[in-house]
Amino acid sequence: MSNQGKMDCGRRRLVVATAAVGGAGAVAALVPFVSSLLPSERAKAAGAPVEVDISKLEPGQMMTVEWRGKPVWIINRTKEMMDTLPKLADLVADPKSDKEQQPAYAKNDTRSIKPEIMVVVGICTHLGCSPSQKFKAGADEGMPGDWLGGFLCPCHGSTFDFAGRVYKSKPAPTNLEVPPHVYLADTRIMIGEDKKGA
Ligand code: FES
């Protein structure tokens, strides 16, 4: 991996925070009269659940929504993607998801409610960088020849499979977090809430 890819997470967060503050200031100066919209934004930041329509999410595609200021990935896994999971049991650090990184209803082989739909917080459990998609299997885009597809955190090289399970001997200590969520209908998910109203 190149040094260029090893970005310092703390520095990157500072850059993002500075840009966000600058942007907020600019918006406030231009449209001070829309301040009545702020409470709903605050409510979102405080953790209000987010409803997502996944009806257009094709097999093999991923979409990102924001919940509590974090990116949440929703992935419609193909059969090929799911078939990689049992093959990786010896290579990932917590294959049975014994650490509490998911609600009880996602502590299963696919770490999900529906086998094909993965819902996971897209933040590395090492220092909080955002991993990149490396869906293509094999020695493509700098990945090793036996790579079966998943995610790479470019900051310090942690790798994750299609269930967000971290590979062994990587800096990230645990699997990616699965947020509470519930299906309101076949293609509508509420992120941030489950049947117990968590
Ligand atoms: S933040 Fe260090 S490997 Fe992901």
Side-chain angles (χ1 to χ4, degrees):
M1 190 185 315
S2 72
N3 285 336
Q4 197 182 4
K6 294 183 181 178
M7 181 180 287
D8 180 301
C9 286
R11 188 165 152 249
R12 190 165 77 174
R13 274 199 296 271
L14 181 64
V15 170
V16 170
T18 306
V21 168
V27 170
L30 284 172
V31 282
F33 47 87
V34 296
S35 60
S36 60
L37 295 176
L38 286 175
S40 71
E41 290 303 317
R42 269 197 222 117
K44 271 198 227 162
V50 177
E51 190 176 327
V52 189
D53 176 1
I54 61 164
S55 59
K56 295 192 170 53
L57 192 65
E58 300 289 337
Q61 287 185 339
M62 177 176 114
M63 63 188 289
T64 304
V65 297
E66 188 183 332
W67 170 66
R68 292 188 176 176
K70 303 178 205 170
V72 173
W73 299 336
I74 305 172
I75 306 155
N76 188 351
R77 292 178 288 209
T78 61
K79 182 176 181 310
E80 290 72 27
M81 287 169 164
M82 286 189 285
D83 285 348
T84 64
L85 300 179
K87 296 177 192 165
L88 293 168
D90 291 338
L91 298 180
V92 296
D94 183 13
K96 292 288 178 197
S97 300
D98 290 325
K99 293 192 181 165
E100 290 185 9
Q101 287 296 97
Q102 60 285 308
Y105 47 79
K107 185 183 184 307
N108 51 45
D109 290 346
T110 55
R111 303 188 75 224
S112 60
I113 297 174
K114 292 187 184 188
E116 68 276 21
I117 304 295
M118 178 83 242
V119 179
V120 70
V121 175
I123 294 180
C124 181
T125 54
H126 181 218
L127 293 179
C129 287
S130 189
S132 314
Q133 291 180 39
K134 294 286 180 184
F135 284 8
K136 204 165 167 193
D140 194 46
E141 301 173 352
M143 303 308 285
D146 58 356
W147 177 245
L148 293 181
F151 299 88
L152 166 72
C153 185
C155 301
H156 314 95
S158 293
T159 42
F160 303 87
D161 69 5
F162 282 122
R165 298 179 304 179
V166 66
Y167 278 67
K168 282 179 182 169
S169 306
K170 299 291 179 176
T174 58
N175 296 337
L176 299 181
E177 179 194 355
V178 177
H181 61 287
V182 64
Y183 282 83
L184 304 175
D186 215 30
T187 56
R188 274 176 42 234
I189 304 177
M190 183 74 91
I191 312 270
E193 197 170 272
D194 57 22
K195 285 188 176 134
K196 299 190 295 296

